[in-house]
Amino acid sequence: MHSQIAIEARGLSKNFGDLRAVSELDLDVPRGQIYGFLGPNGSGKSTTIRMLCGLLTPTSGTADVLGTKIPGNAKLLKPKIGYMTQKFSLFGDMSVQENLQFIAEIYSYPKKDRKPRIDELLGKYDLEPQRKQMAGTMSGGQKQRLALACAVLHHPELLLLDEPTSAVDPQSRRDFWANLFRLAQTGTTILVSTHYMDEAERCHRLAILDNGVKVADGTPRELQAATGMHILEVIADDPYAAQAAIAERAEIASVTQLGVRLRILIPERYANPIEIVNNALASKNVSGNTQMATPSLEDVFVAVTMKPEDRSK
Ligand SMILES: Nc1ncnc2c1ncn2[C@@H]1O[C@H](COP(=O)(O)OP(=O)(O)OP(=O)(O)O)[C@@H](O)[C@H]1O
Ligand SMILES: [Mg+2]
């Protein structure tokens, strides 16, 4: 009987010299789900993924990945996982077909099954026309599809995808996510790092990292319900002046201009957020229409990665 948990990490940490890239990370990733990994640049996403693959030894802490203990058993783990790096790691001077053949060789994929499997992948990932093309000459979207085909060739139970969509257009991103949902549907567990909020929203669960520390963990809805902030929007004729007037106020945790709108976060302990904003506008003779808004994942991200002094205003 398989455990219902694909990844269970406890106190996972990684130091690079004086830098603590990942700090005391606890992570529970259920099987068959898509688990998102969010965080600003340098927050430790890639480092964590590399530890979970067995490519990097943790400074301290442990993880159980598909029943295999990390650190120490990377060889046992390799056949069960697929890993797609941020750079896609393809062989640029080999054709699409040769890249797949090479991966089949690395994983000792049964020889007689190789050709049908590669044909199947070329079809599934829409790469048939590029079969003979050198991987290095392909577009970003094509490279991404080939990297995914390489990562899943050996039918891994767990896919670790490190920012797989950072180099592709919106349509390719949607198609890519359709592929991920199909894989999850057939039981594959997926851990995927991303900077895109719309992608985070598609995950069953997600964790947000900041400076190597997990600052939030839950379903998108749970996180949206627990920002600890009032979210407000102001539509102003002069959004720049409105922003300046609002930012001055001590109660404001964050104010961001989005076109003609301002998005404002005020800690929940203030009972009268609309009044706070309207008073700020009135004191500078700026006109604006203030309304409460529903928290988005972007608000969650802003709230949990802001400086502690802003959060506790
Ligand atoms: N091999 C290494 N040696 C020294 N420092 C490293 C090494 N690998 C990562 N780091 C540092 O660890 C921190 C976390 O890096 P990491 O690549 O895990 O972040 P990330 O969340 O993946 O960022 P990004 O969104 O930019 O990909 C960074 O400060 C980085 O410079
Ligand atoms: Mg990274």
Side-chain angles (χ1 to χ4, degrees):
M1 216 343 242
H2 274 328
S3 152
Q4 288 310 106
I5 299 289
I7 300 176
E8 183 179 302
R10 290 294 173 265
L12 209 58
S13 304
K14 182 69 189 178
N15 298 351
F16 294 111
D18 290 339
L19 178 88
R20 198 151 174 80
V22 177
S23 180
E24 297 291 331
L25 180 69
D26 294 341
L27 208 59
D28 294 279
V29 178
R31 271 188 196 262
Q33 291 205 346
I34 302 182
Y35 195 96
F37 220 36
L38 258 78
N41 290 128
S43 57
K45 302 181 297 293
S46 298
T47 303
T48 303
I49 290 177
R50 295 179 64 215
M51 286 194 281
L52 295 173
C53 290
L55 290 172
L56 200 60
T57 309
T59 305
S60 59
T62 56
D64 181 311
V65 183
L66 304 171
T68 299
K69 297 277 179 265
I70 292 286
N73 297 292
K75 277 215 180 81
L76 289 178
L77 196 55
K78 201 176 165 208
K80 298 192 214 171
I81 62 174
Y83 170 45
M84 196 170 146
T85 69
Q86 219 165 330
K87 296 251 162 73
F88 297 161
S89 312
L90 300 167
F91 295 95
D93 51 3
M94 280 167 34
S95 72
V96 167
Q97 180 170 277
E98 286 164 347
N99 267 274
L100 290 163
Q101 283 164 345
F102 186 78
I103 298 292
E105 185 68 40
I106 288 182
Y107 285 99
S108 310
Y109 202 79
K111 283 220 165 65
K112 68 171 175 40
D113 301 330
R114 281 184 196 178
K115 189 176 178 308
R117 177 63 174 151
I118 289 171
D119 289 346
E120 179 195 348
L121 288 168
L122 290 172
K124 246 183 195 162
Y125 293 101
D126 197 14
L127 289 164
E128 191 55 59
Q130 282 78 38
R131 183 190 276 266
K132 299 272 165 62
Q133 192 175 337
M134 293 297 144
T137 65
M138 292 198 302
S139 76
Q142 292 163 346
K143 281 182 185 157
Q144 177 210 41
R145 295 203 299 279
L146 176 56
L148 183 61
C150 287
V152 302
L153 184 138
H154 63 296
H155 305 285
E157 290 170 51
L158 170 66
L159 266 181
L160 297 151
L161 309 174
D162 198 358
E163 282 182 45
T165 58
S166 51
V168 304
D169 68 30
Q171 182 58 45
S172 300
R173 284 173 52 206
R174 273 197 295 277
D175 295 344
F176 187 83
W177 273 83
N179 284 324
L180 296 193
F181 282 119
R182 198 185 61 212
L183 286 160
Q185 199 63 42
T186 56
T188 311
T189 308
I190 300 174
L191 178 76
V192 53
S193 73
T194 179
H195 286 136
Y196 295 109
M197 295 302 148
D198 61 317
E199 295 190 348
E201 228 145 297
R202 295 162 183 241
C203 297
H204 296 107
R205 289 186 76 81
L206 46 108
I208 302 180
L209 286 189
D210 192 26
N211 287 317
V213 177
K214 189 175 78 175
V215 289
D217 189 352
T219 65
R221 285 190 173 207
E222 285 167 359
L223 297 181
Q224 279 162 289
T227 57
M229 298 279 165
H230 297 294
I231 317 292
L232 296 91
E233 273 200 359
V234 171
I235 297 179
D237 295 335
D238 186 347
Y240 188 76
Q243 177 166 17
I246 293 165
E248 269 187 9
R249 290 297 166 121
E251 303 94 325
I252 305 296
S254 151
V255 49
T256 313
Q257 185 174 346
L258 308 164
V260 295
R261 294 174 301 137
L262 299 177
R263 192 91 176 168
I264 300 153
L265 275 61
I266 299 179
E268 250 167 19
R269 61 193 182 82
Y270 296 104
N272 50 352
I274 292 197
E275 215 175 292
I276 291 171
V277 171
N278 285 341
N279 287 345
L281 294 172
S283 72
K284 299 281 178 204
N285 287 320
V286 183
S287 63
N289 183 320
T290 310
Q291 284 188 333
M292 297 301 291
T294 318
S296 65
L297 267 187
E298 180 103 32
D299 298 321
V300 173
F301 191 79
V302 171
V304 298
T305 59
M306 68 175 50
K307 293 193 219 91
E309 59 265 33
D310 288 329
R311 205 176 316 152
S312 61
K313 269 182 163 170

